[in-house]
Amino acid sequence: MFSLPSLILIGVAYLLFLFGTAYMTERGMLPNKLVRHPLTHVLSIGVYASVWTFYGSFGVAQESGFNYLASYFGAVLTFILGPALLIPILRITRTYQLSSLPDLLAFRFRSGMIGSYTTLLMVFATLPMLSIQIQAVTDALYLLNDQFSADQIGLGFCFVIALFSILFGARHASLRTSHNGLMVAMAVESLIKLIALLVIAGFALFSVLGGVEGTQQFLLSHPDALTQLEKPFNADAWRTMLLAFFTAAIVMPHMFHMLFTENASDETLYKATWAMPLFLLLMAIAVPPILWAGEALGVGGEDQFIVLNLGILLNSTWLAVLAFIGGLSAASGIMIVATVAMASMLQNHIILPLIPKPKTPRFYAWLLWLRRSLIMTMLLASYLFYRQIGNHHDLQLMGIVAVVAALQFLPGLLVTLFWPRANRWGLLLGLTTGTGIWLYHMVLPLFVNEPQLAPFNLNGSNWDQIAILSLLFNTLLLTVVSLVSGQSEEEKSAAQACLINALEKPRASNLRASRPKDFVDMLSGRLGRKAAEREVQKALEDGNLPPDASRPVDLLRLRILLEQNLSGLLGPVEAAALLEPLDRPSDPLAFKAGNVHLIENQLENYQLQLTGLAAELDEMRRYHRLTLQKLPVGVCTLDTEYQVLFWNTEMARLTGISADQIIGSKLDTSSNIWSQTLNEFAHAPMDHQLGQQLEIDHQTHWFSLHKSILKERRDIGMVILLEDETETKSMQDKLAHSERLASIGRFAAGVAHEIGNPVTGIACLAQNLKLETDNHYILETGDQIVDQTKRISRIVQSLVRFAHAGKAEANREHLPVSLSHCAEEAIHLLTLDSHGKRLNYIDQIPGDVRVSGDPQQLLQVFVNLLQNAGDASDEGGRIWLTLTQQEETLQLQITDEGCGISADSRDRLFEPFFTTKDPGQGTGLGLSLVYNIIEEHYGSIEILSPANNKQNKGTQVVITLPRLKWTEDPDSLG
């Protein structure tokens, strides 16, 4: 029907279109929104629809009726169960950088042997599937032009597939790097084969059968056409096909690759739960109209190519080309993705474990060429299988052989997700037995021509029994052997990591590495220096770790990230083997800071995935953790090796060390004085350390420490509490000082009472001298005695006033007082003295500010304080009077530039008879009276010295008084 140049032109045009789509995607010429759209990726999963679906379904429908729907419904069931089945697998593969089913099983069972064995079985299981793709394209081309030979067609097709796979499926060294060009190309191919099949079905329905009414008339006049589809079918065979295609939609290399390796989003799989069933349903409903149209026209030839023969019979070029392009897209899609996926399996589990890496600095380039060589090798093996076996059998038979082989991996996949007790020996024996039955009963008959080993057919009565028998023995041996034999600790850890709603328990090991450079040195022997540095740098960036990370928890995190990244590059087995020399085993029961910290980080990122009791327990954990974080007492916990497990907010505030800086490290790794103090206390024999003094930044801190050993069947660390008692100690000192003042006051009151009587007698005797003599000298002496007794009386009254500190006198009335007037009067009185005249008083108190008080007492306060400031100042010194107004209080500041007050004297300033002046220069009662007066006016007084920290001199007196809101004329107030 077609000339040789025409067919070549059609094929080249289609392949150029496919290459162009992938090239434009890789170059960023297509909108990023379109490329990364979840539905684009969902379409790429349509690679599931191979030539079995596009061509083979017609043969199955003719032979077994509605049994053809099994290949569709099996996959539909897979995607409907996506949230329970596909999402957990995606989480595991994404977290641990796993790119294939052998990677997943090798990680789960911690065995390189499992990975290698699974890879070999997967290759044998996939060869029949690839063979039928080559066979379908070869037969289709031969139908269109019999000048082609099978060898030419098969080799040419494999060459083009190899070229595309190498260019767009092996562009990056890491297998976990997305190949957007490949993904978009597969989406386009899925769209093409769907449109092709729907257009041909529409043509058959409306142009051949005459629409819906015409189809009904055809079925009425040809009841055999409907009976052919509705023929009774073997229910066991139907269920077996459903189960086999259900499994194939997950485990076959091309499906695993597109579902998990090229996918990084849960959203894609959630959309696939409805989009893929719709996609497959549309393809399934296209089959009956095309079958009936073929029967109506009397289309001959093989049933599986009825969709192609329909266009040939009608001599419709466009219809034949559309059927050919649709089949070509179905075949090329699965071959491209499957060969890319299997090349990575062979690289990670067969080649790399067996051959040494060549001494080349271009490690990534070497990996790429190795994988590209494996792609060509797989395609060559597929071609040879087709030439020797595949072209002698129907598409349907070879497809059943492939999916029954895939069925053997179902038990291993399910126990990975749901049964942590399974071990590697159970999996190995189960797989060996199941695949052995499959090889003997389903593959061997394809190679030998013996009557007792004749190949089966879909209507036969034994193939489904063979499939179920192999699966049964596989599952039984896996279960029994796992129950009677044990697991390694690594297997148990990996099994927990693969369970739904479970986290991997970090390994209880110490690292021999102390810095990132140690990782580089260790990896350089296998990867080369540049590649090792690149991998370590990438892991540091992924974990937001500093380049000079040295904390054990950071190094442990770096090791985990390195293993995950190397798993994507070399596979999980090789990655674990590379990093194993860094592990230094330790007590598996030990409570490690690094492990706990990593689990905490995992739980923070895992919260939304927890359900049921696990979610409630996590909420309780968060509540208790928040309680500890917000405690007003510093809390830290240490593991058995004195590494910090927990460091709450108050501990960070007190010590100035953040949790990120200290968690996972030992206390003695920090030079901070708090860290040293806590470390000494942790190793000390006592459990309590009270009232300790610590100098930090020239400030004195008082604190208490408490610790307790944490025990639960064994020692798991300790908890340390840190209480800051600086404010409490300051309050205690103030209370003690007040009590001392009160004691002095009571003593002063008693002394004043005892002094008062003799002083009164002396005054009376001195006054009586005036009546007994006229001697001028004696009278003058008597007057002086009276003056001195008055002075003694004033001192006694001051002592009495101090003794009644805080007790307002009943007959003393408080009036609105202008602080400005008091200050002016005090300054006027002091300037009468010669020394006062030589000082500069700077009065900045506003005239409208009022307080409630005794004008004479407040004047005495100003006089005493200004006189003290003047005594401490040199000639020409300045004294400031300033006022700060707040809503309810006033702050009066009196500041001088004098010599200041020593630290030893500050605590005793308000004690009676204490003075810093020279003997005879003061009584030491001035500040005690001021203190008493301010207390009576419901205020407070504070003395700061030095007032000028830079020059280390001066004194500032700060008085706080209640503010009085007054509206009268200030001139009328005292």
Side-chain angles (χ1 to χ4, degrees):
M1 180 178 180
F2 289 90
S3 65
L4 187 61
S6 299
L7 280 177
I8 293 175
L9 181 62
I10 292 170
V12 169
Y14 169 74
L15 292 173
L16 283 176
F17 170 72
L18 199 63
F19 273 70
T21 301
Y23 178 81
M24 291 172 65
T25 303
E26 294 289 348
R27 288 288 184 177
M29 300 169 67
L30 295 180
N32 193 53
K33 186 176 180 180
L34 175 65
V35 172
R36 296 187 177 277
H37 198 282
L39 287 179
T40 302
H41 192 90
V42 170
L43 276 175
S44 71
I45 302 173
V47 72
Y48 169 82
S50 64
V51 293
W52 166 281
T53 306
F54 196 88
Y55 290 142
S57 292
F58 296 96
V60 176
Q62 284 285 63
E63 187 175 346
S64 303
F66 283 119
N67 268 350
Y68 86 92
L69 292 173
S71 62
Y72 300 96
F73 286 176
V76 166
L77 185 61
T78 299
F79 292 105
I80 290 176
L81 295 177
L85 193 61
L86 302 181
I87 295 296
I89 299 176
L90 176 62
R91 175 183 61 83
I92 299 170
T93 56
R94 183 172 54 198
T95 301
Y96 303 105
Q97 299 285 294
L98 309 176
S99 57
S100 62
L101 181 65
D103 278 2
L104 177 62
L105 296 180
F107 171 80
R108 161 59 178 85
F109 295 97
R110 293 295 186 187
S111 170
M113 178 175 56
I114 290 288
S116 301
Y117 190 61
T118 307
T119 297
L120 292 175
L121 294 181
M122 187 64 72
V123 169
F124 286 122
T126 308
L127 284 177
M129 182 65 74
L130 297 182
S131 170
I132 66 175
Q133 315 305 316
I134 302 173
Q135 178 183 353
V137 173
T138 302
D139 293 348
L141 278 172
Y142 188 80
L143 285 174
L144 296 176
N145 189 310
D146 57 8
Q147 296 179 24
F148 286 107
S149 70
D151 291 341
Q152 292 173 330
I153 298 172
L155 281 175
F157 179 59
C158 289
F159 174 78
V160 173
I161 294 300
L163 183 62
F164 189 95
S165 300
I166 289 171
L167 288 177
F168 301 105
R171 294 175 59 87
H172 307 285
S174 177
L175 303 173
R176 292 297 304 178
T177 304
S178 297
H179 297 81
N180 290 331
L182 175 67
M183 186 266 292
V184 173
M186 294 304 101
V188 169
E189 283 200 324
S190 297
L191 203 57
I192 288 174
K193 60 193 174 191
L194 176 63
I195 292 174
L197 205 57
L198 290 177
V199 169
I200 295 172
F203 177 84
L205 182 64
F206 294 101
S207 297
V208 177
L209 297 174
V212 177
E213 292 184 0
T215 303
Q216 291 176 345
Q217 291 297 325
F218 170 78
L219 293 176
L220 290 174
S221 59
H222 298 80
D224 292 342
L226 191 58
T227 304
Q228 179 69 19
L229 288 178
E230 295 177 343
K231 68 172 65 172
F233 58 87
N234 188 330
D236 293 335
W238 165 259
R239 287 191 290 268
T240 303
M241 286 182 69
L242 274 179
L243 185 60
F245 281 102
F246 165 82
T247 306
I250 306 174
V251 305
M252 292 300 281
H254 57 289
M255 289 305 296
F256 197 98
H257 189 83
M258 296 310 299
L259 281 170
F260 309 118
T261 306
E262 294 293 340
N263 178 31
S265 170
D266 295 353
E267 186 180 0
T268 295
L269 296 184
Y270 281 116
K271 289 189 180 300
T273 57
W274 61 266
M276 278 304 297
L278 177 62
F279 175 87
L280 295 171
L281 176 63
L282 291 174
M283 297 197 75
I285 62 177
V287 172
I290 296 174
L291 278 178
W292 295 332
E295 186 172 343
L297 295 175
V299 174
E302 296 182 60
D303 293 333
Q304 60 197 15
F305 288 112
I306 189 173
V307 68
L308 190 63
N309 287 327
L310 191 64
I312 296 174
L313 180 66
L314 294 174
N315 201 26
S316 173
T317 302
W318 71 269
L319 198 62
V321 168
L322 192 61
F324 170 69
I325 293 297
L328 181 61
S329 66
S332 59
I334 182 175
M335 289 199 67
I336 290 168
V337 180
T339 51
V340 168
M342 286 194 295
S344 70
M345 295 182 206
L346 290 168
Q347 169 193 292
N348 291 346
H349 300 283
I350 303 297
I351 304 300
L352 289 178
L354 297 179
I355 65 170
K357 187 188 91 63
K359 301 296 183 180
T360 172
R362 302 184 63 193
F363 176 72
Y364 297 108
W366 178 81
L367 274 183
L368 277 176
W369 283 109
L370 173 62
R371 197 178 316 143
R372 290 165 180 172
S373 301
L374 290 172
I375 288 174
M376 298 178 67
T377 302
M378 275 304 306
L379 285 169
L380 179 60
S382 302
Y383 173 75
L384 293 176
F385 188 91
Y386 153 72
R387 289 296 299 147
Q388 297 300 318
I389 301 171
N391 64 345
H392 301 298
H393 303 284
D394 293 338
L395 295 180
Q396 301 95 305
L397 185 145
M398 298 302 293
I400 289 295
V401 170
V403 297
V404 171
L407 191 59
Q408 305 309 313
F409 299 102
L410 180 61
L413 182 68
L414 293 180
V415 298
T416 295
L417 296 178
F418 304 108
W419 194 44
R421 181 70 182 274
N423 64 23
R424 66 187 66 165
W425 299 113
L427 180 70
L428 281 172
L429 287 175
L431 268 177
T432 302
T433 304
T435 52
I437 295 173
W438 168 75
L439 285 170
Y440 182 79
H441 288 283
M442 301 190 75
V443 178
L444 188 60
L446 302 177
F447 289 87
V448 298
N449 189 19
E450 296 292 338
Q452 67 272 20
L453 294 175
F456 65 90
N457 57 70
L458 291 182
N459 285 332
S461 59
N462 65 338
W463 76 267
D464 58 309
Q465 297 174 7
I466 293 169
I468 294 300
L469 185 66
S470 64
L471 180 62
L472 179 62
F473 274 98
N474 185 343
T475 306
L476 184 63
L477 282 172
L478 169 60
T479 304
V480 173
V481 173
S482 296
L483 288 174
V484 299
S485 58
Q487 292 177 299
S488 66
E489 289 299 324
E490 286 190 336
E491 268 189 291
K492 291 178 181 178
S493 176
Q496 289 298 323
C498 292
L499 286 180
I500 296 178
N501 282 347
L503 298 174
E504 183 185 20
K505 180 182 178 181
R507 300 175 182 178
S509 63
N510 296 318
L511 293 179
R512 291 186 171 91
S514 60
R515 53 183 179 169
K517 187 177 181 298
D518 294 337
F519 289 90
V520 175
D521 295 338
M522 191 273 303
L523 293 175
S524 296
R526 178 65 171 162
L527 306 183
R529 190 75 184 180
K530 290 185 177 179
E533 290 176 348
R534 178 177 172 181
E535 289 300 322
V536 172
Q537 181 61 32
K538 184 177 185 301
L540 288 170
E541 293 173 355
D542 292 344
N544 293 320
L545 300 174
D548 56 347
S550 59
R551 291 193 305 160
V553 66
D554 290 339
L555 294 175
L556 186 58
R557 174 67 174 156
L558 177 60
R559 188 221 179 281
I560 292 173
L561 290 172
L562 264 176
E563 182 172 352
Q564 291 175 0
N565 292 343
L566 289 173
S567 176
L569 187 69
L570 307 171
V573 177
E574 185 72 5
L578 277 176
L579 294 169
E580 188 176 2
L582 285 175
D583 295 337
R584 184 170 56 213
S586 61
D587 181 8
L589 298 177
F591 210 59
K592 298 294 183 184
N595 297 347
V596 173
H597 186 56
L598 291 176
I599 291 174
E600 287 282 353
N601 288 339
Q602 289 177 339
L603 285 171
E604 292 300 320
N605 300 324
Y606 201 65
Q607 181 185 14
L608 296 178
Q609 300 183 42
L610 296 175
T611 57
L613 181 60
E616 294 181 11
L617 290 173
D618 184 61
E619 285 296 325
M620 185 172 65
R621 176 193 68 84
R622 290 172 183 273
Y623 174 78
H624 290 312
R625 184 176 180 83
L626 183 62
T627 301
L628 289 174
Q629 280 286 4
K630 298 300 182 181
L631 275 179
V633 176
V635 180
C636 75
T637 55
L638 310 177
D639 67 6
T640 53
E641 295 181 356
Y642 295 95
Q643 293 185 31
V644 178
L645 287 169
F646 179 77
W647 192 267
N648 76 342
T649 306
E650 183 66 11
M651 184 68 83
R653 186 188 69 82
L654 292 174
T655 62
I657 305 174
S658 68
D660 292 337
Q661 292 176 303
I662 195 68
I663 287 180
S665 300
K666 293 187 177 181
L667 287 171
D668 57 6
T669 58
S670 174
S671 59
N672 188 293
I673 189 171
W674 281 108
S675 181
Q676 296 173 4
T677 303
L678 291 171
N679 182 58
E680 292 174 1
F681 177 66
H683 289 83
M686 77 281 290
D687 291 336
H688 305 280
Q689 189 171 325
L690 306 175
Q692 299 301 306
Q693 183 177 354
L694 194 65
E695 291 289 334
I696 300 177
D697 297 332
H698 307 294
Q699 294 184 356
T700 302
H701 291 263
W702 297 87
F703 62 92
S704 291
L705 288 168
H706 314 272
K707 72 180 179 186
S708 178
I709 302 299
L710 302 176
K711 290 185 178 181
E712 185 181 4
R713 299 186 302 274
R714 67 186 191 281
D715 288 351
I716 59 175
M718 72 170 61
V719 59
I720 297 178
L721 302 182
L722 173 64
E723 291 184 274
D724 184 6
E725 297 183 343
T726 304
E727 292 185 4
T728 303
K729 185 66 169 63
S730 177
M731 184 64 69
Q732 289 175 347
D733 290 343
K734 289 182 179 180
L735 289 173
H737 180 62
S738 297
E739 183 61 29
R740 186 168 62 252
L741 291 178
S743 299
I744 294 173
R746 289 190 294 270
F747 172 74
V751 170
H753 178 72
E754 294 299 327
I755 292 175
N757 291 331
V759 168
T760 303
I762 293 171
C764 292
L765 291 174
Q767 292 174 1
N768 288 338
L769 289 176
K770 296 180 180 181
L771 302 176
E772 297 178 0
T773 182
D774 293 332
N775 188 315
H776 175 74
Y777 176 77
I778 295 176
L779 292 175
E780 184 178 354
T781 302
D783 291 338
Q784 291 178 353
I785 293 173
V786 171
D787 290 339
Q788 293 303 316
T789 57
K790 290 180 179 179
R791 184 182 178 190
I792 293 173
S793 297
R794 286 197 300 270
I795 293 174
V796 169
Q797 289 300 319
S798 298
L799 286 173
V800 173
R801 186 187 303 275
F802 178 79
H804 292 84
K807 298 179 182 179
E809 296 183 11
N811 58 352
R812 183 177 297 145
E813 182 181 1
H814 280 193
L815 302 172
V817 179
S818 170
L819 291 180
S820 177
H821 287 179
C822 289
E824 291 174 1
E825 187 174 351
I827 293 171
H828 175 71
L829 292 174
L830 291 173
T831 53
L832 298 176
D833 181 71
S834 58
H835 179 66
K837 291 179 179 179
R838 295 192 292 270
L839 297 173
N840 296 319
Y841 296 97
I842 304 172
D843 183 7
Q844 298 178 344
I845 301 176
D848 59 347
V849 177
R850 304 289 181 271
V851 296
S852 177
D854 185 329
Q856 295 304 317
Q857 284 188 316
L858 292 177
L859 175 61
Q860 186 176 356
V861 168
F862 277 97
V863 170
N864 283 340
L865 293 179
L866 290 175
Q867 185 172 11
N868 287 342
D871 292 341
S873 301
D874 297 330
E875 186 174 338
R878 291 174 295 181
I879 300 173
W880 286 272
L881 289 85
T882 57
L883 190 75
T884 302
Q885 301 186 52
Q886 298 178 359
E887 185 176 353
E888 300 294 337
T889 61
L890 300 172
Q891 272 196 351
L892 173 67
Q893 298 98 16
I894 299 177
T895 310
D896 62 63
E897 298 177 321
C899 58
I901 304 171
S902 67
D904 295 337
S905 301
R906 280 198 293 267
D907 293 337
R908 302 183 59 194
L909 288 176
F910 299 112
E911 293 181 8
F913 306 112
F914 175 80
T915 180
T916 59
K917 298 177 182 179
D918 295 334
Q921 297 296 317
T923 63
L925 290 172
L927 284 178
S928 62
L929 289 174
V930 168
Y931 181 89
N932 180 35
I933 293 170
I934 296 302
E935 288 285 328
E936 288 183 0
H937 286 74
Y938 308 104
S940 63
I941 182 170
E942 183 181 9
I943 297 180
L944 307 176
S945 183
N948 190 325
N949 290 321
K950 292 183 179 180
Q951 299 180 4
N952 197 28
K953 67 176 185 177
T955 300
Q956 184 179 69
V957 180
V958 181
I959 297 174
T960 303
L961 293 169
R963 182 176 182 179
L964 178 65
K965 297 180 180 179
W966 191 258
T967 57
E968 291 187 15
D969 182 6
D971 294 334
S972 64
L973 301 173

